Amino acid sequence: MQVRTQLSSLNQSGLSRHDSDYDHLSDRLSSRGLSVEDVVSQLADFQVAIPSWALGAGGTRFGRFSFYGEPGNLEQKIADVGILHALTQTAGAVSLHIPWDTPTDYAAVRDLAREYQLVFDAINSNTFQDQPGAEHTYKHGSLSATDEGARQQAIDHNLEVIAIGEKLGSKSLTVWLADGTTFPGQRNFQKSLTQTEDSLKQIYAGLPSDWKLYIEYKPYEPNFYSTVIQDWGTSLMLANACGDRAYTLVDLGHHLPNSNIEQIVSTLMLKGKLGGFHFNDSKYGDDDLTVGSIKPYALFLIFSELVYGMRNNPQNPDLAWMIDASHNIKDPLEDLIQSLEAIQEAYAKALLVDQTKLSAAQEAHDVVLCQEILQDAYRTDVRPLVQRARLNRGGALHPLRAYRALGVRDELIRQRGKHTVATGL
Ligand code: LRH
Ligand code: MN
Protein backbone atom coordinates (compact mmCIF):
# COMPACT_ATOMS: atom_id res chain seq x y z
CA MET A 1 0.00 0.00 0.00
CA GLN A 2 1.62 3.27 -1.16
CA VAL A 3 1.07 5.77 1.72
CA ARG A 4 4.07 8.07 1.40
CA THR A 5 3.13 9.46 -2.03
CA GLN A 6 -0.35 10.48 -0.88
CA LEU A 7 0.75 12.48 2.18
CA SER A 8 1.73 15.81 0.67
CA SER A 9 -1.76 16.34 -0.77
CA LEU A 10 -3.32 15.18 2.51
CA ASN A 11 -1.13 17.60 4.48
CA GLN A 12 -1.99 20.57 2.28
CA SER A 13 -5.15 21.71 4.06
CA GLY A 14 -3.45 21.87 7.48
CA LEU A 15 -0.15 23.50 6.55
CA SER A 16 -1.02 27.17 7.02
CA ARG A 17 -2.45 26.46 10.49
CA HIS A 18 0.67 24.46 11.33
CA ASP A 19 2.96 27.26 10.10
CA SER A 20 1.28 29.89 12.27
CA ASP A 21 1.31 27.62 15.34
CA TYR A 22 4.96 26.77 14.69
CA ASP A 23 6.04 30.37 14.16
CA HIS A 24 4.21 31.49 17.31
CA LEU A 25 5.82 28.77 19.44
CA SER A 26 9.26 29.30 17.87
CA ASP A 27 9.14 33.00 18.74
CA ARG A 28 8.29 32.19 22.36
CA LEU A 29 10.99 29.52 22.68
CA SER A 30 13.76 31.41 20.86
CA SER A 31 13.06 34.44 23.07
CA ARG A 32 14.10 32.09 25.88
CA GLY A 33 17.37 31.44 24.00
CA LEU A 34 16.34 27.94 22.92
CA SER A 35 17.35 26.67 19.43
CA VAL A 36 14.05 25.41 18.01
CA GLU A 37 15.86 23.95 15.00
CA ASP A 38 17.96 21.80 17.34
CA VAL A 39 14.86 20.51 19.12
CA VAL A 40 13.17 19.71 15.80
CA SER A 41 16.22 17.85 14.46
CA GLN A 42 16.57 15.86 17.72
CA LEU A 43 12.91 14.85 17.40
CA ALA A 44 13.39 13.86 13.77
CA ASP A 45 16.43 11.72 14.67
CA PHE A 46 14.51 9.95 17.46
CA GLN A 47 13.59 6.53 16.05
CA VAL A 48 11.52 4.00 18.00
CA ALA A 49 11.50 0.28 17.24
CA ILE A 50 8.10 -1.30 16.72
CA PRO A 51 7.59 -4.73 18.33
CA SER A 52 6.79 -7.34 15.69
CA TRP A 53 4.53 -9.03 18.26
CA ALA A 54 2.20 -6.05 18.62
CA LEU A 55 0.80 -5.66 15.09
CA GLY A 56 -2.24 -7.85 15.63
CA ALA A 57 -4.96 -7.87 18.23
CA GLY A 58 -3.64 -8.81 21.66
CA GLY A 59 -5.75 -10.59 24.21
CA THR A 60 -5.93 -11.89 27.71
CA ARG A 61 -6.88 -15.29 29.18
CA PHE A 62 -10.43 -13.97 29.09
CA GLY A 63 -10.47 -13.56 25.37
CA ARG A 64 -9.17 -11.95 22.20
CA PHE A 65 -11.11 -9.83 19.69
CA SER A 66 -9.55 -9.84 16.20
CA PHE A 67 -9.12 -6.69 14.22
CA TYR A 68 -9.21 -8.11 10.74
CA GLY A 69 -6.58 -7.45 8.14
CA GLU A 70 -3.90 -8.49 10.64
CA PRO A 71 -0.43 -9.33 9.26
CA GLY A 72 -0.31 -13.10 8.74
CA ASN A 73 3.45 -13.34 8.25
CA LEU A 74 6.72 -11.47 8.81
CA GLU A 75 6.63 -9.76 5.41
CA GLN A 76 3.17 -8.30 6.15
CA LYS A 77 4.38 -7.21 9.61
CA ILE A 78 7.27 -5.32 8.02
CA ALA A 79 4.84 -3.73 5.58
CA ASP A 80 2.66 -2.57 8.52
CA VAL A 81 5.68 -1.04 10.27
CA GLY A 82 6.48 0.56 6.91
CA ILE A 83 3.05 2.24 6.96
CA LEU A 84 3.66 3.49 10.53
CA HIS A 85 7.06 4.89 9.54
CA ALA A 86 5.74 6.55 6.37
CA LEU A 87 3.08 8.34 8.43
CA THR A 88 5.12 9.22 11.54
CA GLN A 89 8.75 9.21 10.34
CA THR A 90 9.71 8.04 13.86
CA ALA A 91 9.19 4.25 13.58
CA GLY A 92 12.32 3.43 11.59
CA ALA A 93 13.05 0.07 13.22
CA VAL A 94 11.52 -3.35 13.96
CA SER A 95 12.23 -5.50 17.01
CA LEU A 96 11.67 -9.20 16.24
CA HIS A 97 10.69 -11.96 18.64
CA ILE A 98 11.94 -15.50 17.98
CA PRO A 99 10.44 -17.98 17.20
CA TRP A 100 7.26 -15.94 16.57
CA ASP A 101 8.99 -14.14 13.66
CA THR A 102 11.75 -16.44 12.43
CA PRO A 103 12.47 -15.37 8.82
CA THR A 104 12.43 -17.98 6.06
CA ASP A 105 14.03 -15.84 3.32
CA TYR A 106 16.59 -13.53 4.97
CA ALA A 107 17.55 -11.66 1.80
CA ALA A 108 13.90 -10.95 0.96
CA VAL A 109 13.22 -9.74 4.51
CA ARG A 110 16.28 -7.47 4.48
CA ASP A 111 15.32 -6.05 1.07
CA LEU A 112 11.73 -5.46 2.17
CA ALA A 113 12.86 -3.65 5.31
CA ARG A 114 15.25 -1.50 3.27
CA GLU A 115 12.39 -0.66 0.86
CA TYR A 116 10.45 0.76 3.87
CA GLN A 117 13.60 2.44 5.28
CA LEU A 118 13.52 0.16 8.31
CA VAL A 119 16.36 -1.42 10.28
CA PHE A 120 16.27 -4.37 12.72
CA ASP A 121 16.72 -3.28 16.34
CA ALA A 122 17.10 -5.57 19.36
CA ILE A 123 16.03 -9.17 18.76
CA ASN A 124 14.12 -10.98 21.52
CA SER A 125 14.51 -14.58 22.66
CA ASN A 126 11.64 -16.63 24.07
CA THR A 127 12.21 -19.17 26.81
CA PHE A 128 8.82 -18.53 28.41
CA GLN A 129 6.92 -20.89 26.08
CA ASP A 130 7.60 -24.52 25.17
CA GLN A 131 8.03 -24.99 21.42
CA PRO A 132 6.45 -28.01 19.65
CA GLY A 133 8.88 -30.95 19.74
CA ALA A 134 11.14 -29.34 22.33
CA GLU A 135 13.16 -31.90 24.31
CA HIS A 136 12.93 -30.03 27.62
CA THR A 137 10.10 -27.96 29.16
CA TYR A 138 10.51 -24.46 30.61
CA LYS A 139 7.66 -25.11 33.06
CA HIS A 140 10.15 -25.06 35.92
CA GLY A 141 12.36 -22.34 34.50
CA SER A 142 14.71 -21.79 31.63
CA LEU A 143 18.05 -20.05 32.28
CA SER A 144 17.44 -20.56 36.02
CA ALA A 145 16.29 -24.19 35.72
CA THR A 146 17.78 -26.79 38.06
CA ASP A 147 17.39 -29.22 35.15
CA GLU A 148 20.70 -29.03 33.20
CA GLY A 149 18.93 -30.01 29.94
CA ALA A 150 16.36 -27.22 30.12
CA ARG A 151 19.08 -24.68 30.98
CA GLN A 152 21.33 -25.72 28.09
CA GLN A 153 18.34 -25.73 25.71
CA ALA A 154 17.56 -22.14 26.76
CA ILE A 155 21.19 -21.03 26.37
CA ASP A 156 21.35 -22.64 22.91
CA HIS A 157 18.10 -20.91 21.91
CA ASN A 158 19.56 -17.51 22.83
CA LEU A 159 22.70 -18.24 20.79
CA GLU A 160 20.46 -19.23 17.83
CA VAL A 161 18.54 -15.97 18.21
CA ILE A 162 21.83 -14.05 18.07
CA ALA A 163 22.72 -15.88 14.83
CA ILE A 164 19.31 -14.95 13.34
CA GLY A 165 19.81 -11.32 14.40
CA GLU A 166 23.27 -11.21 12.83
CA LYS A 167 21.77 -12.18 9.45
CA LEU A 168 19.35 -9.25 9.72
CA GLY A 169 21.77 -6.62 10.99
CA SER A 170 20.52 -6.48 14.59
CA LYS A 171 23.15 -5.43 17.14
CA SER A 172 21.54 -6.43 20.41
CA LEU A 173 19.73 -9.29 22.18
CA THR A 174 16.96 -8.74 24.72
CA VAL A 175 16.47 -11.44 27.34
CA TRP A 176 13.31 -11.41 29.44
CA LEU A 177 12.74 -14.41 31.72
CA ALA A 178 9.38 -15.53 33.07
CA ASP A 179 11.40 -17.74 35.45
CA GLY A 180 10.16 -17.63 39.04
CA THR A 181 7.70 -19.23 41.44
CA THR A 182 4.01 -19.01 42.19
CA PHE A 183 4.11 -20.37 45.71
CA PRO A 184 6.43 -19.85 48.73
CA GLY A 185 8.98 -22.64 49.10
CA GLN A 186 8.58 -23.72 45.47
CA ARG A 187 12.26 -23.13 44.62
CA ASN A 188 15.57 -22.03 46.22
CA PHE A 189 16.04 -18.32 45.41
CA GLN A 190 19.85 -18.42 45.57
CA LYS A 191 20.19 -21.47 43.29
CA SER A 192 17.82 -19.87 40.77
CA LEU A 193 19.77 -16.61 40.70
CA THR A 194 23.15 -18.35 40.56
CA GLN A 195 21.97 -20.57 37.66
CA THR A 196 20.61 -17.50 35.85
CA GLU A 197 23.86 -15.56 36.24
CA ASP A 198 25.87 -18.53 34.98
CA SER A 199 23.55 -19.00 31.99
CA LEU A 200 23.61 -15.28 31.09
CA LYS A 201 27.40 -15.33 31.21
CA GLN A 202 27.42 -18.20 28.69
CA ILE A 203 25.08 -16.24 26.40
CA TYR A 204 27.23 -13.11 26.85
CA ALA A 205 30.29 -15.15 25.87
CA GLY A 206 28.52 -15.95 22.58
CA LEU A 207 27.69 -12.31 21.84
CA PRO A 208 29.48 -10.81 18.78
CA SER A 209 31.98 -8.13 19.85
CA ASP A 210 29.84 -5.26 18.56
CA TRP A 211 26.60 -6.50 20.16
CA LYS A 212 24.87 -5.54 23.41
CA LEU A 213 22.87 -7.71 25.81
CA TYR A 214 19.73 -6.18 27.37
CA ILE A 215 18.45 -7.81 30.55
CA GLU A 216 14.76 -7.00 31.10
CA TYR A 217 13.33 -7.23 34.63
CA LYS A 218 9.74 -7.73 35.79
CA PRO A 219 8.27 -8.15 39.32
CA TYR A 220 5.57 -10.72 38.51
CA GLU A 221 3.48 -12.52 35.79
CA PRO A 222 3.34 -15.21 34.67
CA ASN A 223 4.69 -16.24 38.09
CA PHE A 224 2.83 -14.69 40.99
CA TYR A 225 5.07 -15.19 44.07
CA SER A 226 8.62 -14.46 42.82
CA THR A 227 10.45 -13.68 39.58
CA VAL A 228 14.18 -14.39 39.34
CA ILE A 229 14.98 -11.08 37.57
CA GLN A 230 12.37 -9.10 39.50
CA ASP A 231 13.72 -5.54 39.60
CA TRP A 232 16.29 -3.07 38.27
CA GLY A 233 18.76 -3.95 41.01
CA THR A 234 18.82 -7.62 40.07
CA SER A 235 19.10 -6.78 36.37
CA LEU A 236 21.96 -4.33 37.10
CA MET A 237 23.76 -6.93 39.22
CA LEU A 238 23.51 -9.51 36.42
CA ALA A 239 24.59 -6.97 33.77
CA ASN A 240 27.65 -6.10 35.87
CA ALA A 241 28.38 -9.81 36.31
CA CYS A 242 28.23 -10.39 32.53
CA GLY A 243 30.40 -7.50 31.36
CA ASP A 244 30.70 -4.06 29.75
CA ARG A 245 28.24 -4.75 26.92
CA ALA A 246 25.44 -5.99 29.16
CA TYR A 247 22.78 -3.49 30.24
CA THR A 248 19.42 -3.24 31.95
CA LEU A 249 16.22 -2.79 29.94
CA VAL A 250 13.39 -0.78 31.49
CA ASP A 251 9.86 -1.85 30.50
CA LEU A 252 7.60 0.87 31.95
CA GLY A 253 4.94 -1.72 32.83
CA HIS A 254 7.33 -3.82 34.89
CA HIS A 255 7.19 -1.81 38.11
CA LEU A 256 5.13 -2.17 41.26
CA PRO A 257 2.54 0.60 41.80
CA ASN A 258 3.99 4.07 42.55
CA SER A 259 7.56 3.06 41.69
CA ASN A 260 9.71 6.10 40.92
CA ILE A 261 10.81 5.00 37.44
CA GLU A 262 12.48 8.34 36.63
CA GLN A 263 14.81 7.84 39.61
CA ILE A 264 15.62 4.30 38.44
CA VAL A 265 16.44 5.72 35.00
CA SER A 266 18.64 8.41 36.52
CA THR A 267 20.54 5.89 38.66
CA LEU A 268 21.10 3.45 35.79
CA MET A 269 22.38 6.23 33.49
CA LEU A 270 24.76 7.47 36.18
CA LYS A 271 26.13 3.92 36.40
CA GLY A 272 26.33 3.72 32.57
CA LYS A 273 24.11 0.63 32.59
CA LEU A 274 20.84 1.78 31.03
CA GLY A 275 20.49 -0.05 27.72
CA GLY A 276 16.98 0.73 26.55
CA PHE A 277 13.25 0.97 26.99
CA HIS A 278 10.04 -0.84 26.32
CA PHE A 279 7.55 2.02 26.26
CA ASN A 280 3.89 1.47 27.21
CA ASP A 281 1.56 2.62 29.98
CA SER A 282 -0.40 0.95 32.74
CA LYS A 283 -2.94 1.59 35.50
CA TYR A 284 -2.44 -1.52 37.59
CA GLY A 285 -0.04 -4.23 36.31
CA ASP A 286 1.83 -4.98 33.07
CA ASP A 287 -1.17 -3.70 31.13
CA ASP A 288 0.83 -2.85 27.96
CA LEU A 289 -1.45 0.09 27.17
CA THR A 290 -0.91 3.02 24.77
CA VAL A 291 2.09 5.11 25.81
CA GLY A 292 1.01 8.27 27.65
CA SER A 293 -2.62 7.15 27.87
CA ILE A 294 -2.68 6.80 31.69
CA LYS A 295 0.35 8.64 33.22
CA PRO A 296 1.63 11.24 30.67
CA TYR A 297 3.29 13.37 33.39
CA ALA A 298 5.27 10.36 34.64
CA LEU A 299 6.45 9.77 31.06
CA PHE A 300 7.55 13.42 30.88
CA LEU A 301 9.50 13.11 34.15
CA ILE A 302 11.22 9.97 32.80
CA PHE A 303 12.21 11.83 29.61
CA SER A 304 13.47 14.75 31.69
CA GLU A 305 15.91 12.38 33.44
CA LEU A 306 16.80 10.84 30.05
CA VAL A 307 17.59 14.25 28.54
CA TYR A 308 19.70 15.14 31.61
CA GLY A 309 21.47 11.78 31.33
CA MET A 310 22.04 12.08 27.58
CA ARG A 311 23.73 15.47 28.24
CA ASN A 312 25.68 14.57 31.40
CA ASN A 313 26.39 10.81 31.31
CA PRO A 314 28.77 10.02 28.43
CA GLN A 315 29.44 6.75 30.30
CA ASN A 316 25.98 5.53 29.23
CA PRO A 317 25.61 4.22 25.68
CA ASP A 318 23.06 5.40 23.11
CA LEU A 319 19.74 4.02 24.20
CA ALA A 320 17.51 1.53 22.42
CA TRP A 321 14.00 2.95 22.14
CA MET A 322 11.27 0.33 21.68
CA ILE A 323 7.55 0.06 22.23
CA ASP A 324 6.15 -3.04 23.93
CA ALA A 325 2.37 -2.95 23.89
CA SER A 326 -0.62 -5.22 23.37
CA HIS A 327 -3.84 -4.07 21.76
CA ASN A 328 -6.99 -5.59 23.23
CA ILE A 329 -9.48 -3.00 22.03
CA LYS A 330 -7.83 -0.51 19.62
CA ASP A 331 -6.74 -0.96 16.01
CA PRO A 332 -3.08 -1.99 16.54
CA LEU A 333 -1.75 0.55 14.05
CA GLU A 334 -3.82 3.42 15.48
CA ASP A 335 -2.67 2.43 18.98
CA LEU A 336 0.97 2.47 17.87
CA ILE A 337 0.54 5.85 16.12
CA GLN A 338 -0.81 7.29 19.39
CA SER A 339 2.11 5.76 21.32
CA LEU A 340 4.66 7.21 18.89
CA GLU A 341 3.01 10.62 19.19
CA ALA A 342 3.08 10.46 23.02
CA ILE A 343 6.77 9.50 23.03
CA GLN A 344 7.67 12.36 20.67
CA GLU A 345 5.68 14.86 22.77
CA ALA A 346 7.22 13.71 26.07
CA TYR A 347 10.71 13.97 24.55
CA ALA A 348 9.94 17.43 23.07
CA LYS A 349 8.63 18.73 26.41
CA ALA A 350 11.71 17.33 28.20
CA LEU A 351 13.98 19.12 25.68
CA LEU A 352 12.28 22.39 26.71
CA VAL A 353 13.21 22.05 30.39
CA ASP A 354 15.63 24.87 31.22
CA GLN A 355 18.23 22.60 32.86
CA THR A 356 20.49 25.53 33.84
CA LYS A 357 17.68 27.37 35.62
CA LEU A 358 16.55 24.09 37.20
CA SER A 359 19.92 23.21 38.69
CA ALA A 360 20.24 26.81 40.01
CA ALA A 361 16.83 26.52 41.66
CA GLN A 362 17.81 23.09 43.07
CA GLU A 363 21.04 24.54 44.50
CA ALA A 364 18.98 27.36 46.02
CA HIS A 365 16.50 24.83 47.44
CA ASP A 366 13.72 26.82 45.76
CA VAL A 367 11.38 23.85 45.57
CA VAL A 368 8.49 25.89 44.19
CA LEU A 369 10.59 27.31 41.37
CA CYS A 370 11.89 23.80 40.53
CA GLN A 371 8.32 22.65 39.95
CA GLU A 372 7.48 25.80 37.97
CA ILE A 373 10.44 25.21 35.63
CA LEU A 374 9.49 21.57 35.03
CA GLN A 375 5.80 22.29 34.55
CA ASP A 376 6.38 25.27 32.27
CA ALA A 377 7.93 22.79 29.87
CA TYR A 378 5.25 20.16 30.49
CA ARG A 379 2.44 22.66 29.94
CA THR A 380 3.88 23.76 26.58
CA ASP A 381 1.89 22.49 23.58
CA VAL A 382 4.80 21.02 21.60
CA ARG A 383 2.73 19.48 18.81
CA PRO A 384 3.90 22.08 16.22
CA LEU A 385 7.50 20.95 16.86
CA VAL A 386 6.63 17.26 16.52
CA GLN A 387 4.67 18.03 13.34
CA ARG A 388 7.58 20.01 11.86
CA ALA A 389 9.99 17.15 12.57
CA ARG A 390 7.65 14.81 10.67
CA LEU A 391 7.05 17.21 7.79
CA ASN A 392 10.81 17.73 7.38
CA ARG A 393 11.08 13.98 6.72
CA GLY A 394 8.04 13.72 4.41
CA GLY A 395 5.63 12.39 7.01
CA ALA A 396 2.00 13.17 7.80
CA LEU A 397 1.04 16.41 9.53
CA HIS A 398 -1.62 14.38 11.42
CA PRO A 399 -0.74 10.65 11.18
CA LEU A 400 -3.93 9.30 12.73
CA ARG A 401 -6.17 11.45 10.53
CA ALA A 402 -4.13 10.44 7.48
CA TYR A 403 -4.36 6.73 8.45
CA ARG A 404 -8.16 7.04 8.57
CA ALA A 405 -8.47 9.30 5.51
CA LEU A 406 -6.46 6.78 3.48
CA GLY A 407 -8.69 3.93 4.70
CA VAL A 408 -5.61 1.86 5.54
CA ARG A 409 -7.43 -0.73 7.71
CA ASP A 410 -10.11 -1.31 5.06
CA GLU A 411 -7.40 -1.73 2.42
CA LEU A 412 -5.56 -4.24 4.64
CA ILE A 413 -8.79 -6.19 5.17
CA ARG A 414 -9.42 -6.11 1.38
CA GLN A 415 -5.90 -7.48 0.77
CA ARG A 416 -5.70 -9.97 3.68
CA GLY A 417 -9.28 -10.84 4.52
CA LYS A 418 -10.73 -11.24 8.00
CA HIS A 419 -9.04 -14.35 9.22
CA THR A 420 -5.32 -13.65 9.27
CA VAL A 421 -3.90 -13.85 12.80
CA ALA A 422 -0.58 -12.21 13.72
CA THR A 423 1.87 -14.26 15.76
CA GLY A 424 2.73 -12.74 19.15
CA LEU A 425 0.90 -11.90 22.33
C1 LRH B 1 7.26 -9.45 29.13
C2 LRH B 1 7.56 -8.59 27.93
C3 LRH B 1 8.87 -8.90 27.24
C4 LRH B 1 8.49 -9.59 25.97
C5 LRH B 1 7.10 -9.89 26.11
C6 LRH B 1 6.39 -9.94 24.81
O1 LRH B 1 6.13 -8.97 29.78
O2 LRH B 1 7.47 -7.26 28.29
O3 LRH B 1 9.50 -7.74 26.83
O4 LRH B 1 9.29 -10.61 25.60
O5 LRH B 1 6.58 -8.87 26.95
MN1 MN C 1 8.82 -5.76 27.50
Side-chain angles (χ1 to χ4, degrees):
M1 183 172 184
Q2 259 318 314
V3 165
R4 204 177 157 84
T5 52
Q6 304 178 71
L7 293 180
S8 54
S9 57
L10 265 179
N11 290 341
Q12 213 47 48
S13 59
L15 283 182
S16 61
R17 178 57 200 263
H18 161 72
D19 290 342
S20 65
D21 290 349
Y22 180 81
D23 296 344
H24 176 70
L25 179 58
S26 304
D27 293 350
R28 201 157 70 76
L29 296 176
S30 10
S31 67
R32 265 191 36 198
L34 204 125
S35 160
V36 176
E37 287 68 35
D38 280 0
V39 171
V40 170
S41 68
Q42 285 173 66
L43 291 173
D45 293 342
F46 191 91
Q47 296 297 317
V48 178
I50 303 297
S52 61
W53 61 91
L55 292 162
T60 72
R61 58 190 165 156
F62 302 105
R64 180 181 180 281
F65 305 97
S66 177
F67 229 87
Y68 307 145
E70 293 186 21
N73 56 43
L74 180 55
E75 288 68 20
Q76 291 180 350
K77 288 186 175 190
I78 292 173
D80 283 8
V81 179
I83 292 170
L84 287 176
H85 191 45
L87 292 168
T88 66
Q89 290 301 314
T90 186
V94 188
S95 182
L96 297 189
H97 217 299
I98 305 296
W100 293 336
D101 304 300
T102 307
T104 45
D105 179 341
Y106 284 88
V109 165
R110 282 198 305 269
D111 294 348
L112 189 62
R114 205 172 301 115
E115 195 188 311
Y116 289 110
Q117 295 159 336
L118 302 174
V119 297
F120 291 98
D121 202 313
I123 190 160
N124 298 264
S125 60
N126 177 341
T127 60
F128 49 88
Q129 295 170 328
D130 286 345
Q131 302 308 321
E135 193 182 344
H136 302 279
T137 177
Y138 294 138
K139 181 175 179 178
H140 304 297
S142 63
L143 297 183
S144 72
T146 44
D147 170 41
E148 173 74 32
R151 223 169 44 244
Q152 194 54 49
Q153 177 180 286
I155 292 167
D156 295 346
H157 165 70
N158 277 278
L159 298 175
E160 282 154 27
V161 171
I162 292 170
I164 291 170
E166 281 193 282
K167 286 188 246 176
L168 295 170
S170 283
K171 291 292 181 192
S172 53
L173 168 72
T174 296
V175 173
W176 167 67
L177 297 184
D179 294 28
T181 63
T182 292
F183 296 98
Q186 182 180 337
R187 297 185 59 199
N188 177 294
F189 292 137
Q190 296 187 357
K191 282 193 186 139
S192 300
L193 186 57
T194 305
Q195 306 281 23
T196 302
E197 180 174 324
D198 176 63
S199 301
L200 284 170
K201 283 177 176 171
Q202 292 186 48
I203 294 168
Y204 186 81
L207 210 62
S209 60
D210 60 348
W211 273 53
K212 294 186 184 115
L213 171 64
Y214 299 139
I215 301 172
E216 185 176 2
Y217 57 89
K218 183 175 180 177
Y220 71 95
E221 190 207 35
N223 281 294
F224 295 104
Y225 172 63
S226 74
T227 298
V228 178
I229 310 182
Q230 58 165 323
D231 61 10
W232 67 272
T234 308
S235 170
L236 176 63
M237 209 169 45
L238 291 166
N240 284 335
C242 286
D244 296 347
R245 289 176 293 107
Y247 301 92
T248 65
L249 187 140
V250 175
D251 184 314
L252 298 186
H254 293 184
H255 298 86
L256 298 174
N258 307 323
S259 297
N260 188 327
I261 303 176
E262 56 269 29
Q263 185 184 10
I264 294 170
V265 165
S266 166
T267 301
L268 292 170
M269 290 196 88
L270 178 64
K271 297 301 173 187
K273 277 298 187 182
L274 179 63
F277 276 85
H278 280 180
F279 291 115
N280 47 53
D281 209 338
S282 50
K283 178 74 176 161
Y284 303 103
D286 187 20
D287 311 340
D288 281 344
L289 301 177
T290 317
V291 181
S293 60
I294 307 287
K295 309 186 288 285
Y297 190 56
L299 184 68
F300 161 73
L301 294 174
I302 289 167
F303 266 95
S304 296
E305 293 307 327
L306 284 168
V307 168
Y308 179 87
M310 288 192 273
R311 290 179 184 163
N312 297 281
N313 304 138
Q315 67 273 31
N316 202 84
D318 292 345
L319 293 156
W321 313 106
M322 295 167 276
I323 290 174
D324 184 359
S326 176
H327 322 288
N328 299 343
I329 203 74
K330 290 179 179 179
D331 174 325
L333 297 182
E334 293 193 348
D335 197 332
L336 290 162
I337 289 170
Q338 288 185 311
S339 283
L340 291 163
E341 193 94 357
I343 292 167
Q344 282 269 310
E345 284 182 30
Y347 184 36
K349 289 172 189 269
L351 289 169
L352 300 189
V353 174
D354 189 326
Q355 298 280 352
T356 314
K357 251 200 195 150
L358 180 61
S359 53
Q362 288 166 339
E363 295 306 315
H365 306 302
D366 187 340
V367 182
V368 171
L369 183 56
C370 291
Q371 181 176 321
E372 289 303 309
I373 293 165
L374 271 184
Q375 296 198 338
D376 176 49
Y378 181 70
R379 291 175 178 140
T380 303
D381 181 355
V382 294
R383 288 176 291 184
L385 304 177
V386 174
Q387 291 164 354
R388 183 57 58 99
R390 268 196 304 267
L391 289 172
N392 290 352
R393 297 277 175 94
L397 182 57
H398 302 290
L400 198 54
R401 283 185 224 164
Y403 176 86
R404 292 188 170 189
L406 294 169
V408 174
R409 179 56 58 188
D410 294 340
E411 176 57 20
L412 293 175
I413 294 172
R414 194 188 62 71
Q415 290 173 6
R416 298 169 183 172
K418 287 190 170 185
H419 306 296
T420 45
V421 175
T423 53
L425 285 184

